[in-house]
Amino acid sequence: MATAYKALRIEKSEGVAEVILTGPGKGNAVGPDFWREMPEVLRELDADASVRVLLLRGDGAHFTYGLDLPAMLESLGPMLTGDNNTAFERTQLMRLIEQMQGATEGLARCHKPVIAAVHGWCIGAGMNLIAASDFRYCSQEAKFSVREVRVGILADLGALQRLPRIIGEGHTRELAYTGGDFDAERALRMGLVNQVFASPEEMLTAARATARKIADNPPLVVQGAKQVLEYCADKSVEDGLRFVAVWNSAFLQSNDLTEAFAAFMERRPPRFQGR
């Protein structure tokens, strides 16, 4: 991906695309550039057949401090404090929120698995981003906060919708109402993260190793598993079984299936092509 972005950096290697938050706000705080660029980046990566897994992480000492409030206020100011805060300004604000939701929704709707690797602070908007990811790793010093309530904002980028599925209603409500900070140990107990590692370096190494394992599997089967899991999240077991039966009836036959059998018989690693 040759495009130069202001708030992101993309590094691709052998089927794994690392989406790296870079700021330019302090602590990778996300401002207007990020909300404009992230949906575009995700559309491109989702359409890129060479990409099989996304790894979302932050540059430097933190995942993200959340919203870059000074930068966002430059965009939001007329919509919030104008003398004529009428339907026009309110419609503008709604469209801006919908644009911002495109970043988190792009993660959630991406056909490829998304791993979030968290170190340092993960605040506000960061919680919305990791909640939209498939699963999460963090390092021991990581700290988290659904911080919006403390700055007079109702979280509107997906955390309130997705966190109950991940950590349960009770934890979500406590975090959303208090805006309190919590550490990696509690994140693990709640089920927000799958594993905690001693250092950011160990965490990133493990996240990359997991991404590599996923990328080595048949990509269309991995993407099928994600589609089935997403469909079944709010369906009955009966509906889910019917859906996966139809899915396999349509997509089971493939060159990768033939390659899997051939590799097994020849006692060699398979080479899956996504065909």
Side-chain angles (χ1 to χ4, degrees), residues 5 7-8 30-43 67 71-72 75-76 79 90-109 125 128-129 156-158 162:
Y5 295 102
L8 298 162
V30 290
D33 290 330
F34 172 83
W35 302 111
R36 181 178 62 256
E37 293 171 355
M38 187 66 162
E40 176 187 342
V41 165
L42 293 172
R43 284 192 297 269
L67 276 184
M72 292 304 299
S75 301
L76 290 169
M79 305 176 203
R90 296 175 189 185
T91 300
Q92 284 185 307
L93 179 56
M94 184 171 180
R95 288 175 178 168
L96 176 61
I97 293 170
E98 290 173 343
Q99 176 192 339
M100 294 169 68
Q101 288 174 342
T104 50
E105 290 303 296
L107 283 174
R109 294 174 182 172
N128 290 271
L129 292 170
D156 55 9
L157 302 178
R162 294 191 173 92

Side-chain angles (χ1 to χ4, degrees), residues 16-54:
V16 179
E18 296 192 15
V19 181
I20 305 162
L21 309 180
T22 61
K26 182 179 179 181
N28 301 327
V30 290
D33 290 330
F34 172 83
W35 302 111
R36 181 178 62 256
E37 293 171 355
M38 187 66 162
E40 176 187 342
V41 165
L42 293 172
R43 284 192 297 269
E44 290 187 19
L45 293 177
D46 204 13
D48 186 344
S50 72
V51 173
R52 299 183 177 190
V53 186
L54 275 60

Side-chain angles (χ1 to χ4, degrees), residues 25-273:
K26 182 179 179 181
N28 301 327
V30 290
D33 290 330
F34 172 83
W35 302 111
R36 181 178 62 256
E37 293 171 355
M38 187 66 162
E40 176 187 342
V41 165
L42 293 172
R43 284 192 297 269
E44 290 187 19
L45 293 177
D46 204 13
D48 186 344
S50 72
V51 173
R52 299 183 177 190
V53 186
L54 275 60
L55 175 58
L56 177 67
R57 64 180 180 90
D59 195 26
H62 301 282
F63 185 74
T64 177
Y65 280 177
L67 276 184
D68 185 345
L69 290 174
M72 292 304 299
L73 283 174
E74 291 185 16
S75 301
L76 290 169
M79 305 176 203
L80 299 177
T81 61
D83 293 334
N84 298 312
N85 190 356
T86 60
F88 176 75
E89 288 79 16
R90 296 175 189 185
T91 300
Q92 284 185 307
L93 179 56
M94 184 171 180
R95 288 175 178 168
L96 176 61
I97 293 170
E98 290 173 343
Q99 176 192 339
M100 294 169 68
Q101 288 174 342
T104 50
E105 290 303 296
L107 283 174
R109 294 174 182 172
C110 182
H111 291 83
K112 289 86 182 277
V114 180
I115 306 170
V118 180
H119 71 293
W121 277 104
C122 177
I123 300 173
M127 290 292 293
N128 290 271
L129 292 170
I130 69 170
S133 303
D134 285 87
F135 59 91
R136 295 143 291 277
Y137 289 167
C138 79
S139 51
Q140 185 65 47
E141 93 300 337
K143 289 185 172 59
F144 305 81
S145 180
V146 183
R147 187 73 63 88
E148 285 88 345
V149 68
R150 288 164 60 180
V151 292
I153 300 173
L154 177 63
D156 55 9
L157 302 178
L160 300 184
Q161 290 71 37
R162 294 191 173 92
L163 284 177
R165 289 173 48 183
I166 300 168
I167 63 175
E169 287 280 351
H171 288 303
T172 300
R173 289 170 186 262
E174 178 187 348
L175 300 179
Y177 299 164
T178 66
D181 306 335
F182 60 101
D183 60 16
E185 181 181 350
R186 186 175 181 194
L188 182 63
R189 291 201 310 269
M190 287 192 296
L192 178 65
V193 298
N194 288 25
Q195 296 187 64
V196 177
F197 298 87
S199 69
E201 294 76 18
E202 290 184 26
M203 183 266 300
L204 184 55
T205 296
R208 285 170 170 164
T210 299
R212 175 81 271 127
K213 290 179 182 178
I214 295 172
D216 287 343
N217 285 326
L220 298 182
V221 176
V222 171
Q223 293 169 33
K226 179 169 182 174
Q227 294 298 305
V228 170
L229 286 166
E230 289 294 324
Y231 176 85
C232 293
D234 59 354
K235 304 293 191 303
S236 67
V237 172
E238 182 180 3
D239 286 342
L241 289 172
R242 179 65 176 174
F243 182 80
V244 74
V246 172
W247 185 281
N248 265 350
S249 297
F251 300 117
L252 183 62
Q253 186 176 1
S254 68
N255 291 347
D256 280 349
L257 179 65
T258 302
E259 167 64 10
F261 286 146
F264 176 79
M265 296 301 295
E266 296 167 15
R267 299 179 182 274
R268 60 170 175 81
R271 296 179 293 274
F272 297 119
Q273 302 297 318

